[in-house]
Amino acid sequence: MSERPVTPLLDQVHFPADIRKLQKSELPQLADELRAEMISAVSTSGGHLGSGLGVVELTIAIHYVFDTPNDKLIWDVGHQCYPHKIITGRRDRIRTIRQGGGLSGFTKRAESEYDPFGAAHSSTSISAALGFAISNKLAHKPGRAIAVIGDGAMSAGMAYEAMNNAHEAGNRLIVILNDNDMSIAPPVGSLRNSLARLVSSRKYLAPRRLAQKLARAMPGPLHRAARKMEEYTRGWVTGGTLFEELGFYYVGPVDGHNVEALVEILENVRDAEEGPILVHAVTKKGKGYGPAENAADKYHGVVKFDIVSGKQDKGPGGGPPAYTSVFADALKAEMARDEKVVAITAAMPSGTGLDKVEAAFPDRTFDVGIAEQHAVTFAAGLAAQGHRPFCAIYSTFLQRAYDQVVHDVAIQNLPVRFALDRAGLVGADGCTHAGSFDLAYLCTLPNFVVMAAANEAELVNMVHTMALHDSGPIAVRYPRGNGRGVPLPVTPQALEIGKGRIAREGKTVAILSLGTRLEEAEKAADMLEAKGLSTTVADMRFAKPLDEELIRKLLTTHEVAVTIEEAAIGGFGAHVLTLASDDGLIDAGLKLRTLRLPDSFQDQDSPQRQYDEAGLNAPHIVETVLKALRRNDIDADAGAIA
Ligand SMILES: Cc1ncc(C[n+]2csc(CCOP(=O)(O)OP(=O)(O)O)c2C)c(N)n1
Ligand SMILES: CC(=O)[C@@H](O)[C@H](O)COP(=O)(O)O
Ligand SMILES: [Mg+2]
């Protein structure tokens, strides 16, 4: 007998209210369709895949049981939100994700009422959810807050700060720990072992047993004396976990892919009188797509790929090496030369290249989990005791450890080395990941040396310079992506601290470039020369200390000077302006302009379009020079003088 045709369900689901019209028994089919839709979409757009595949059932169950958007659902990091976006009115735009004018790759308040809180940097969800919960409590408004946090994100201190305060929220706060035993790399530390013990030592909690336990374990109103009883009861319910010590009722482990059981469990949790409750859901990163499940990284982040084979379209290959790879090789060379050099990453071994370093020096490479604050002070301790630590942390993620940089490193003048990858604009990850502020937040600190590599050869020499620099903290910034194809030094050269270099001599215009915008500065010089304006280009190399001698010379021997950096206001250009002002050069009529990132958070787009939007390409430099010289007789776009 031919099987009854299956009616597609996803086409009927535009918002969670549509899911709630379905029978529980229909949800597994919806999960299959949602998973297929996500695989199809990401195969055309690229993006974060593995984490979203792992939460398809959780996404459906949460929206089925809770009254979203009135109940506030907050995803930690937000990279797993693609299924959530598909069933909250954004299926039609899901293939625009991470593209200019398209959907953000993370949750974003401005995008949807179903995204009550933006994310992208990890471990913020419980704090934010607690805020929503307490606000509802104070306003005597109904409504719960549900934080979904991964096992990786649970390794960050901020999560514990929030849990330590969560008792205030009672049953208005629910935390769902999405435990797939993966961060970007395998998770690290004792928490990972504790979770693994919880998962391996117990069967999945059956909904029926949970209902009985919750009924028995949630006594009525408690006064202080009985509170202890409640603690014991709580421990009795589930056998005592770290989370109970932090004031949560622990529910788990539960099967994060059994959508019908998840619904029943979440219905019990929703209706419980006491709280907060933490549901420990066990999932698989990459679930339901073989190439992802079988990949070491579970297809955490992918480019476009062929669905059948899973083969990613990584382009023709060859070409200049990625800055990340150049850094990793340079660091390995320093570690081979000097056994005191050690390397630290905060859960980003592949992103920073420290996975290659760890392969060569496993005993001197440390992945501390998503714990940038700890990483920095851990490095400070290593430095204080005589080692030479390299902290390899994306520029944007170092923001999380700023006080540690100031208080534990700069004030004590400890020789910690900071390798700031993804400095500047990053394209598809958008404003949350742009490394815009490191020059502003580091160059203001006494004792710091801050460098920016103009190309991959410079980066090699700067890593060597850092390895030798024992007199205080030192940082190098470099962008996401590939180098310029310049030959790498066979023998790294130590740079003289605070000294820049003239890349090309001229007379009328001086371009003071910091970092990889040097390429555009040289193109601008060609364009200006074609207009009869002789142009000097300097690669300044150091944002701190400034090469004051070179800067004074350039500012006083050219008609106009322009600084350019891929950083927000308050960085290199600001410090040059301060020097010019302190020297009275402004009074003397100096024409000085600074080109930097705009005072706005730039949404995701292609890097080229982002630089155009930021005004940091050659034509923008030319236009700035002509305006400063008031040379209206020269057409900024045309070659010859008008
Ligand atoms: C503060 C911070 N550091 C580093 C990252 C980079 N990062 C993005 S996702 C991720 C791993 C998250 O693991 P988990 O929370 O378990 O989520 P899963 O990918 O397993 O679903 C990391 C380290 C980040 N987003 N935020
Ligand atoms: C979600 C997250 O924070 C990381 O996956 C990040 O997107 C990685 O960035 P890169 O792709 O630049 O390594
Ligand atoms: Mg995980």
Side-chain angles (χ1 to χ4, degrees):
M1 186 173 79
S2 65
E3 293 208 356
R4 242 168 5 98
V6 172
T7 312
L9 297 173
L10 188 60
D11 295 343
Q12 304 168 33
V13 172
H14 304 285
F15 290 96
D18 303 319
I19 301 176
R20 298 171 197 139
K21 296 172 190 161
L22 301 176
Q23 297 302 313
K24 248 183 271 185
S25 59
E26 293 178 293
L27 299 183
Q29 179 193 329
L30 178 63
D32 292 344
E33 292 177 23
L34 178 55
R35 182 169 274 115
E37 174 68 356
M38 182 181 167
I39 292 165
S40 164
V42 181
S43 74
T44 64
S45 64
H48 290 101
L49 181 65
S51 44
L53 289 175
V55 297
V56 166
E57 288 80 9
L58 261 178
T59 303
I60 290 170
I62 292 166
H63 283 295
Y64 189 83
V65 170
F66 292 99
D67 180 27
T68 54
N70 301 315
D71 287 337
K72 302 301 178 185
L73 171 56
I74 296 165
W75 294 95
D76 206 285
V77 181
H79 63 316
Q80 76 289 70
C81 70
Y82 298 22
H84 162 81
K85 293 201 173 187
I86 290 169
I87 62 168
T88 54
R90 288 168 278 183
R91 181 183 181 187
D92 60 327
R93 287 178 290 149
I94 198 66
R95 287 166 174 77
T96 69
I97 204 156
R98 291 162 52 91
Q99 294 150 54
L103 293 177
S104 164
F106 307 100
T107 48
K108 187 171 181 178
R109 282 173 54 85
E111 211 173 89
S112 166
E113 62 177 333
Y114 289 91
D115 293 4
F117 206 76
H121 285 203
S122 87
S123 318
T124 60
S125 60
I126 303 174
S127 297
L130 185 55
F132 280 93
I134 296 298
S135 174
N136 283 339
K137 182 180 176 183
L138 291 173
H140 307 293
K141 282 165 59 180
R144 292 173 181 73
I146 305 104
V148 183
I149 182 168
D151 56 303
M154 193 57 98
S155 66
M158 186 173 175
Y160 298 88
E161 293 168 15
M163 288 193 285
N164 187 43
N165 276 181
H167 60 280
E168 298 277 354
N171 69 349
R172 289 174 180 276
L173 173 69
I174 290 122
V175 173
I176 297 175
L177 170 58
N178 171 34
D179 181 5
N180 56 19
D181 196 26
M182 277 295 285
S183 184
I184 293 182
V188 295
S190 304
L191 173 70
R192 192 263 180 108
N193 303 334
S194 165
L195 291 177
R197 274 195 302 277
L198 274 174
V199 173
S200 59
S201 62
R202 306 168 185 211
K203 290 193 183 125
Y204 285 145
L205 196 57
R208 182 177 24 79
R209 271 188 63 225
L210 171 64
Q212 295 158 359
K213 286 188 167 221
L214 285 176
R216 279 206 302 278
M218 306 275 179
L222 293 162
H223 52 72
R224 183 174 299 281
R227 178 66 65 189
K228 211 63 209 136
M229 173 59 193
E230 184 216 8
E231 291 301 322
Y232 292 134
T233 310
R234 192 178 299 194
W236 173 74
V237 164
T238 58
T241 67
L242 167 69
F243 305 108
E244 282 150 337
E245 294 308 310
L246 286 166
F248 280 77
Y249 287 92
Y250 169 85
V251 169
V254 302
D255 180 352
H257 296 300
N258 181 334
V259 64
E260 292 179 85
L262 274 175
V263 165
E264 289 183 52
I265 284 167
L266 293 180
E267 283 169 341
N268 284 322
V269 168
R270 179 196 62 199
D271 300 339
E273 288 176 14
E274 286 283 315
I277 294 177
L278 179 137
V279 179
H280 179 187
V282 180
T283 64
K284 182 182 276 191
K285 193 164 185 176
K287 173 77 176 179
Y289 184 54
E293 289 189 9
N294 299 326
D297 70 352
K298 308 304 176 191
Y299 276 23
H300 171 84
V302 294
V303 294
K304 297 175 183 175
F305 61 89
D306 172 73
I307 293 177
V308 174
S309 66
K311 190 171 179 336
Q312 294 184 54
D313 175 12
K314 295 198 173 184
Y323 280 100
T324 302
S325 173
V326 170
F327 162 71
D329 291 341
L331 181 57
K332 278 168 57 180
E334 298 303 329
M335 292 174 81
R337 179 185 58 79
D338 177 355
E339 65 177 17
K340 288 290 187 184
V341 177
V342 294
I344 300 165
T345 175
M348 302 292 284
S350 56
T352 58
L354 288 205
D355 53 347
K356 288 167 67 177
V357 174
E358 197 272 341
F361 300 100
D363 297 338
R364 289 156 58 195
T365 307
F366 301 90
D367 178 353
V368 298
I370 308 180
E372 288 82 4
Q373 295 171 335
H374 161 59
V376 171
T377 305
F378 172 49
L382 280 158
Q385 190 64 354
H387 272 83
R388 296 187 170 98
F390 276 74
C391 257
I393 299 178
Y394 287 13
S395 166
T396 188
F397 296 141
L398 186 63
Q399 292 162 189
R400 180 155 290 181
Y402 190 53
D403 187 55
Q404 286 74 17
V405 169
V406 178
H407 178 264
D408 300 323
V409 176
I411 291 176
Q412 299 189 104
N413 197 28
L414 289 171
V416 174
R417 286 79 170 169
F418 294 92
L420 305 182
D421 201 335
R422 279 41 171 205
L425 297 167
V426 296
D429 267 340
C431 62
T432 53
H433 283 59
S436 308
F437 310 111
D438 56 81
L439 291 180
Y441 69 68
L442 291 180
C443 291
T444 195
L445 298 179
N447 299 330
F448 251 88
V449 173
V450 182
M451 300 180 286
N455 57 48
E456 56 271 43
E458 287 286 304
L459 179 57
V460 172
N461 291 331
M462 288 178 175
V463 169
H464 184 55
T465 305
M466 293 163 84
L468 300 178
H469 187 78
D470 286 331
S471 56
I474 185 168
V476 65
R477 72 185 319 244
Y478 46 96
R480 186 176 199 274
N482 296 347
R484 291 183 62 181
V486 299
L488 300 182
V490 174
T491 308
Q493 301 301 310
L495 302 178
E496 187 182 347
I497 298 295
K499 289 295 175 197
R501 68 182 178 97
I502 295 292
R504 143 192 202 142
E505 291 277 6
K507 294 190 178 65
T508 309
V509 179
I511 303 175
L512 289 73
S513 169
L514 185 84
T516 51
R517 289 289 92 191
L518 178 67
E519 190 170 6
E520 291 300 314
E522 288 168 333
K523 286 180 194 168
D526 291 339
M527 294 162 73
L528 290 164
E529 297 274 0
K531 300 173 187 295
L533 295 169
S534 165
T535 300
T536 296
V537 177
D539 171 15
M540 299 311 293
R541 284 176 166 163
F542 292 83
K544 183 163 196 166
L546 290 177
D547 184 341
E548 297 192 357
E549 182 186 356
L550 177 55
I551 291 170
R552 287 193 178 96
K553 177 170 173 277
L554 293 172
L555 298 191
T556 54
T557 57
H558 291 76
E559 275 188 56
V560 62
V562 177
T563 66
I564 183 165
E565 62 201 294
E566 192 177 340
I569 193 168
F572 172 65
H575 290 263
V576 172
L577 274 170
T578 302
L579 181 152
S581 163
D582 292 349
D583 279 14
L585 297 180
I586 307 288
D587 314 346
L590 164 70
K591 289 189 179 66
L592 173 58
R593 300 291 183 272
T594 63
L595 291 175
R596 67 243 178 217
L597 291 175
D599 182 24
S600 62
F601 291 108
Q602 289 182 252
D603 283 337
Q604 76 282 351
D605 208 328
S606 70
Q608 184 55 37
R609 276 203 287 271
Q610 285 197 317
Y611 287 124
D612 273 333
E613 184 184 36
L616 290 180
N617 286 328
H620 306 106
I621 300 170
V622 170
E623 189 181 359
T624 301
V625 168
L626 298 181
K627 277 184 180 167
L629 289 173
R630 292 193 179 79
R631 293 295 299 271
N632 303 326
D633 58 318
I634 298 180
D635 176 350
D637 294 332
I641 292 183

